[in-house]
Amino acid sequence: KTSPAQPPRKELQVPESKQDIEAYNLLVDGHNASQERITQRAQDIVKMFFVVSGGALAVCAGFFSAGVVLPQEAISPVRGAWVSLTSAMILIGLTLLLMLGRDFRFGQLNSLQMNSRKQSPETSDWWEIWIWGTGLFGFLFFCTGMCFFTYAAWIYVAPTLAP
């Protein structure tokens, strides 16, 4: 007996003719290539934010280790930048981990499907929700941190720009 949330498993429809098999394989190959390109682009973007966040924190750490004294009004924006960029790095790292977990689960379900010749349940939509959620919040924290750094730099440099 199955629950209403999980429909009964269906037998896989195996293509009969050689032409059907070739057409099906082309369709699957095209879909897989598209998914691979999308996943690769997403991973590249996530890694780029990770590297830029870390770079901004490293530049700031180098700035402080040089003994530069910041104006008092720049301290809060710098603190905000550190918290935001550190949070962005944690969330972006979690995004990559979730993408890996989803892809691993997808592979496990495909293996089960091939071995049992029965249609496996799809990966949960929660993977996508968490991936998008952590990625978007990571991006928001990244943007916030960069704005804080820009503001702190403006405060620091503004007196030297005055006529």
Side-chain angles (χ1 to χ4, degrees):
K1 202 170 190 181
T2 60
S3 68
Q6 284 188 328
R9 289 187 177 182
K10 302 175 195 171
E11 288 290 326
L12 287 177
Q13 296 294 326
V14 179
E16 301 285 327
S17 72
K18 185 176 181 180
Q19 185 179 7
D20 288 345
I21 292 171
E22 288 173 3
Y24 180 75
N25 285 340
L26 283 174
L27 180 67
V28 169
D29 288 345
H31 174 73
N32 288 343
S34 172
Q35 288 299 103
E36 188 175 322
R37 285 191 308 272
I38 290 168
T39 300
Q40 186 59 48
R41 286 184 191 130
Q43 289 173 346
D44 290 345
I45 289 170
V46 167
K47 289 174 188 174
M48 182 271 305
F49 284 123
F50 193 74
V51 168
V52 172
S53 295
L57 290 173
V59 166
C60 191
F63 193 76
F64 289 130
S65 66
V68 174
V69 178
L70 290 176
Q72 189 62 35
E73 59 270 12
I75 300 296
S76 291
V78 169
R79 285 181 181 158
W82 274 76
V83 169
S84 295
L85 290 173
T86 301
S87 298
M89 290 177 68
I90 291 168
L91 287 168
I92 289 167
L94 183 58
T95 301
L96 285 171
L97 183 65
L98 288 168
M99 290 171 82
L100 179 65
R102 180 211 46 206
D103 292 346
F104 176 79
R105 181 67 181 144
F106 181 75
Q108 293 295 322
L109 290 173
N110 276 346
S111 177
L112 175 69
Q113 183 172 317
M114 286 187 281
N115 291 336
S116 69
R117 304 291 273 173
K118 296 211 183 270
Q119 188 172 0
S120 298
E122 294 293 321
T123 55
S124 171
D125 288 340
W126 285 105
W127 286 104
E128 301 301 323
I129 292 168
W130 279 98
I131 289 169
W132 276 101
T134 57
L136 290 174
F137 275 108
F139 178 71
L140 177 69
F141 279 110
F142 171 79
C143 291
T144 302
M146 294 307 287
C147 287
F148 273 132
F149 264 145
T150 302
Y151 181 62
W154 181 260
I155 291 170
Y156 180 74
V157 174
T160 62
L161 297 176

